Amino acid sequence: MGEELIRMIKERISPLVYQTKKELEYKNENERAAELEEFLQTLHEIIEDIQNGVMDEWECGELYEDFKKYEQSGTIIENLV
C-alpha cells in the first residue's frame, strides 16, 4: 500500500496542489499559496516516511483511503490543507 500511496501523491495530489498554488500566486493570494507550499512539504515528508519505514502498511492504507475519498469528491485541497 505504501507504493500505491507514493504513486498517488506524486502523480495526482502533488500536481494538483502545485497547480492550485501557482494559480493563487497569480491572483496574489499569497497567504493561501503559502499554506499549499507547506502542504507540498508535508506530502514530501510523507513519502520519505514511507520510504524509511516510519509509516506502516496500515497507516499508508488509511491515508490512501482518505486521500482517495477527498480526491473523488473534488475536495482534496479543502479537506487536507
Side-chain angles (χ1 to χ4, degrees):
M1 185 54 62
E3 290 302 315
E4 290 90 353
L5 180 56
I6 289 173
R7 192 171 22 265
M8 175 188 267
I9 290 170
K10 286 183 174 181
E11 294 176 5
R12 300 193 323 249
I13 297 173
S14 289
L16 174 65
V17 173
Y18 183 78
Q19 177 185 358
T20 304
K21 177 180 129 355
K22 286 298 183 187
E23 290 170 4
L24 290 170
E25 288 172 342
Y26 181 75
K27 296 176 186 176
N28 289 322
E29 295 181 32
N30 297 325
E31 185 175 321
R32 184 74 172 135
E35 291 173 356
L36 293 180
E37 182 63 38
E38 289 177 24
F39 184 58
L40 285 169
Q41 180 60 37
T42 299
L43 292 172
H44 178 72
E45 291 168 3
I46 290 170
I47 291 171
E48 287 181 350
D49 285 351
I50 294 167
Q51 292 172 334
N52 293 328
V54 175
M55 289 181 69
D56 62 28
E57 287 297 309
W58 183 84
E59 291 172 307
C60 290
E62 289 290 310
L63 194 53
Y64 180 87
E65 290 302 318
D66 286 344
F67 282 179
K68 184 177 172 182
K69 176 178 67 175
Y70 296 140
E71 184 180 43
Q72 289 173 341
S73 71
T75 63
I76 194 159
I77 290 179
E78 294 82 1
N79 283 298
L80 298 177
V81 181

